[in-house]
Amino acid sequence: MTDDQRPASVRFGSHSIGPAEEIFVIAEAGVNHDGDVAVAHELIDLAADTGANAVKFQTFKPEALVTSSAGTTPYQKKAGFAESQSEMLARLTLPEAAWKELRDHCEERGITFLSTPFDYDSARMLAELGVPGLKIGSGELTNTPYLSAIAEFGIPMIVSTGMGTREEIAAALDATAKAPATVLLHCVSAYPAPLEEANLRAIPALREEFGVEVGWSDHTPGAVTAIAATALGSTLLEKHITTDKTRNGPDHSASLEKEEFAHYVRSVREAHAALGDGRKRRMPSEEANASLVRRSYHAARDIAAGAIITADDVAILRPEGGLAPSALVIGKTAARPVSAGAALLGEDLL
């Protein structure tokens, strides 16, 4: 699929997501508030201050997400959460009343409010709050009944594809068919994700196969993969943020603090600006140099009117201004005298 064949940009609140648009950057606050509403507000300010387009949290009811016996993942255990998932999630849950005030804070700061719902009631609550779209986490990629139910809300969806196969992604897109638009996020669900497993070429491959916009949910260290993903056509990026990497939470160590995230946003914006439109042409910044570094025909010695031009009469030298090196000059007749060193012009020849 060529860019001309790609669908129009996806409208996402006051933003558009597409190849001709500014790359859409989501600051993933997730659960890095550690269950503290005040810290959630700090994360909104951090995201707004660093130039992100949106800040995204995670909304869930533990009892609707996990069994009481579900264990924590290896990376969560490494972060100090040895208890069950339900106990961990209970510590990371915000009260329902907090979501409206977080949305209002985002509106005050001019940044888009988003959250990933992990159950139907949470999704409905977020839709009622007016989120411009719903992000679905990688763990729900195969939960097609849930995807179909969310699609019924009639707002755009962003579906993360970590751990997924081509067949699972196709089924997920079928399940979201009733949504006005679906954007995919290529993702590697490891925290942090190894650079050598980023597999960023999946971004253009997914876009080519499924004809949708594709972004990068970035769990790798630093900004390297984000810049590469931008070059490969990613139109959306998501990266975890934190007020302090040393905080006791499952995602802090794989997140970026304020200055790091500001650098991340600047880097991807510059990378996106550098891509251009792909049409090869002389650029404005080249104009001043072009005539001085390009060559043209010049008289190597005085040439008399009526003389037949030989190879010894001319030289191809800088600057540009005379006949181009590709012009047929040898064997032509001089229409008028040409002084040695002068550019040979079209009107100098018969």
Side-chain angles (χ1 to χ4, degrees), residues 243-260:
T243 57
D244 183 353
K245 285 184 179 181
T246 66
R247 288 179 68 94
N248 182 30
D251 296 329
H252 290 293
S253 63
S255 304
L256 298 183
E257 294 179 358
K258 185 173 184 177
E259 291 307 313
E260 295 173 308

Side-chain angles (χ1 to χ4, degrees), residues 55 137 226 233 271 327:
V55 59

Side-chain angles (χ1 to χ4, degrees), residues 198-321:
N199 192 24
L200 294 177
R201 288 193 176 96
I203 293 170
L206 289 171
R207 187 178 65 232
E208 175 74 18
E209 179 167 4
F210 295 111
V212 297
E213 292 304 322
V214 181
W216 169 229
S217 182
D218 181 8
H219 300 147
T220 63
V224 171
T225 62
I227 294 169
T230 300
L232 286 168
S234 175
T235 49
L236 185 153
L237 293 169
E238 176 183 85
K239 186 79 165 180
H240 275 80
I241 58 170
T242 181
T243 57
D244 183 353
K245 285 184 179 181
T246 66
R247 288 179 68 94
N248 182 30
D251 296 329
H252 290 293
S253 63
S255 304
L256 298 183
E257 294 179 358
K258 185 173 184 177
E259 291 307 313
E260 295 173 308
F261 190 68
H263 171 74
Y264 183 92
V265 174
R266 285 194 304 271
S267 296
V268 297
R269 296 264 187 257
E270 290 169 359
H272 188 259
L275 293 179
D277 60 13
R279 183 169 60 87
K280 180 61 180 171
R281 62 195 183 278
R282 183 180 291 185
M283 303 306 287
S285 62
E286 298 178 298
E287 291 292 352
N289 295 327
S291 64
L292 298 174
V293 301
R294 289 281 179 89
R295 299 186 187 220
S296 64
Y297 274 102
H298 289 73
R301 57 192 179 189
D302 290 340
I303 301 173
I308 303 300
I309 306 297
T310 68
D312 292 333
D313 291 325
V314 292
I316 298 174
L317 302 170
R318 293 178 178 179
E320 192 178 49

Side-chain angles (χ1 to χ4, degrees), residues 19-136:
E21 311 295 338
E22 178 183 68
I23 193 163
F24 191 81
V25 181
I26 298 174
E28 170 63 89
V31 294
N32 279 349
H33 48 69
D34 300 325
D36 187 331
V37 177
V39 176
H41 283 287
E42 290 180 39
L43 289 165
I44 291 172
D45 287 329
L46 187 159
D49 289 344
T50 53
N53 299 104
V55 59
K56 188 182 75 63
F57 296 92
Q58 295 176 12
T59 308
F60 48 82
K61 295 179 178 179
E63 67 276 12
L65 178 55
V66 294
T67 65
S68 59
S69 60
T72 52
T73 65
Y75 85 90
Q76 291 166 343
K77 286 185 171 68
K78 187 176 179 180
F81 290 84
E83 71 266 49
S84 68
Q85 278 196 54
S86 61
E87 291 172 319
M88 178 190 72
L89 292 172
R91 292 168 54 183
L92 300 173
T93 303
L94 292 177
E96 186 166 334
W99 297 109
K100 182 179 183 300
E101 66 178 75
L102 293 175
R103 179 205 64 185
D104 292 346
H105 187 180
C106 287
E107 290 178 355
E108 291 168 5
R109 290 305 313 270
I111 189 169
T112 298
F113 168 71
L114 296 173
S115 190
T116 295
F118 286 87
D119 57 83
Y120 182 82
D121 288 343
S122 293
R124 181 175 57 188
M125 181 270 294
L126 291 168
E128 290 172 352
L129 284 176
V131 291
L134 289 168
K135 157 69 191 300
I136 307 301

